[in-house]
Amino acid sequence: MAKVGKRVRAAREGIDRNKTYALGEALGMVKERGTAKFDETVEVAINLGVDPRHADQMVRGVCILPNGTGKTVKVAVFARGDKAEEAKAAGADIVGAEELVQEVQSGKIEFDRCIATPDMMPQVGRLGKVLGPRGLMPNPKVGTVTPDVAAAVNDAKGGAVQFRVEKAGIVHAGVGKTSFTQEALEQNVKAFLDAVQKAKPSGSKGSYLKRIAVSSTMGPGIKIDLASIVE
């Protein structure tokens, strides 16, 4: 059995693994139990009553966190001409057309978010095998294939998080940093939960939101009482 480090033991102290906590209390515990020497990401994980193997039970979307993610996001935009200039003016880190497609194809991926104008998708579509596994493929459903590149860049820089349900029926996202105030984290978690609820698929039957937990990068998961956040 692997030894549990002192920091991890200290972080787990006082947490009842079988109990559910009110959102504010849980986030307070996450903040005070930050064990790392860096500003940890606060993560939320939601278990959903869906089977993503069925197309009508797929859950995906995007959420603009009211207080941002606390993370500096590097954005690449596939665009030409005026749209390329718009992307640069909005603060995109990497902008290009065919030459950027070739760079990415060769394995050079130096960005966290990827946006494309619709006219670039025939070329960008060929990058599915490279960008898909990394969750970077532009998609109109989450607003990353759009003629309004400036708005998409601003969203990406300002706290937009994309989510997609995994095989086990879980969606998760980073919703801030342990340095955030408890109130800012609460607002972000509620916004994310609201976005997931709005993305409820037609094929979901019975209970949709099953369990929710919050944690920091290095800390233990703390279960949330759903009644404390769901109106």
Side-chain angles (χ1 to χ4, degrees):
M1 198 167 142
K3 270 191 173 179
V4 177
K6 277 185 189 173
R7 280 186 185 173
V8 175
R9 269 205 308 274
R12 285 179 183 170
E13 264 175 34
I15 295 173
D16 183 343
R17 305 301 285 270
N18 299 312
K19 182 182 170 183
T20 58
Y21 295 85
L23 178 60
E25 186 185 1
L27 288 169
M29 292 163 82
V30 166
K31 277 174 62 62
E32 70 192 27
R33 281 168 169 74
T35 59
K37 291 178 180 175
F38 59 93
D39 192 7
E40 294 179 62
T41 295
V42 175
E43 296 170 0
V44 59
I46 306 170
N47 289 67
L48 300 174
V50 296
D51 182 350
R53 289 175 300 180
H54 300 288
D56 66 347
Q57 292 186 50
M58 174 49 74
V59 179
R60 73 181 304 167
V62 65
C63 171
I64 309 292
L65 297 175
N67 302 297
T69 60
K71 181 183 170 190
T72 304
V73 179
K74 207 166 179 188
V75 180
V77 179
F78 292 95
R80 299 185 185 97
D82 291 348
K83 293 297 175 187
E85 295 309 314
E86 280 176 36
K88 286 174 189 169
D93 301 277
I94 302 165
V95 181
E98 284 75 11
E99 72 285 2
L100 182 55
V101 171
Q102 285 177 348
E103 269 185 30
V104 172
Q105 210 150 24
S106 70
K108 189 179 177 186
I109 298 172
E110 297 174 345
F111 48 84
D112 310 299
R113 191 66 52 82
C114 186
I115 294 158
T117 53
D119 65 297
M120 281 299 301
M121 282 312 290
Q123 285 81 15
V124 177
R126 299 201 298 265
L127 301 174
K129 285 182 181 172
V130 185
L131 296 176
R134 292 175 170 83
L136 291 171
M137 192 65 187
N139 188 302
K141 287 183 181 173
V142 292
T144 48
V145 176
T146 174
D148 194 349
V149 288
V153 170
N154 288 328
D155 284 349
K157 293 274 187 183
V161 291
Q162 294 178 23
F163 57 88
R164 181 182 175 126
V165 69
E166 295 172 356
K167 283 178 187 172
I170 297 169
V171 286
H172 60 83
V175 289
K177 296 285 185 180
T178 47
S179 60
F180 281 26
T181 65
Q182 186 176 309
E183 184 185 15
L185 287 169
E186 277 193 53
Q187 289 170 352
N188 279 2
V189 171
K190 286 177 179 174
F192 182 69
L193 187 68
D194 188 46
V196 172
Q197 281 186 287
K198 283 177 178 162
K200 181 179 178 178
S202 58
S204 172
K205 301 289 183 270
S207 174
Y208 176 56
L209 299 173
K210 289 190 170 290
R211 285 184 300 281
I212 178 169
V214 290
S215 63
S216 62
T217 308
M218 310 293 283
I222 302 172
K223 294 176 188 169
I224 306 293
D225 175 13
L226 273 166
S228 72
I229 30 177
V230 179
E231 297 302 323

